[in-house]
Amino acid sequence: MRIVRRIGDPPKLRGSQTMETCPDIFELSDGSFAVMGTEATADLDPLLPSDAARADYERIVVITRETLLRAKRDIPDM
């Protein structure tokens, strides 16, 4: 598996000056997406709706609204 492309604008275009807090979204060679964000599993896991499940190997990460909105144009409809 490899990263094929970034989805949305690079962090610098979203205002990151230090490149230390850079949420990002990438498309992978198998068609999946990888999300880089702030790990928030401990805080958000107890708040998941009753019909949501998280495997032990899965983590909940948070990205900024701006990151996702700027990625919208690059996410295919199908």
Side-chain angles (χ1 to χ4, degrees), residues 2-3 10-12 19 21-22 24 39 42 66 78:
R2 60 185 172 74
I3 294 174
K12 193 165 188 170
M19 301 297 286
T21 55
C22 305
D24 231 326
E39 208 282 331
E66 182 181 10
M78 290 294 289

Side-chain angles (χ1 to χ4, degrees), residues 46-58:
L47 305 176
L48 289 174
S50 61
D51 61 349
R54 182 187 62 79
D56 287 342
Y57 58 85
E58 295 176 321

Side-chain angles (χ1 to χ4, degrees), residues 29-47:
S29 58
D30 69 354
S32 298
F33 294 91
V35 178
M36 186 168 58
T38 303
E39 208 282 331
T41 305
D43 292 333
L44 295 177
D45 195 54
L47 305 176

Side-chain angles (χ1 to χ4, degrees), residues 3 15 25 27 54 59 67 70 76:
I3 294 174
I25 304 170
E27 184 172 359
R54 182 187 62 79
R59 299 292 174 261
T67 300
R70 287 189 180 216

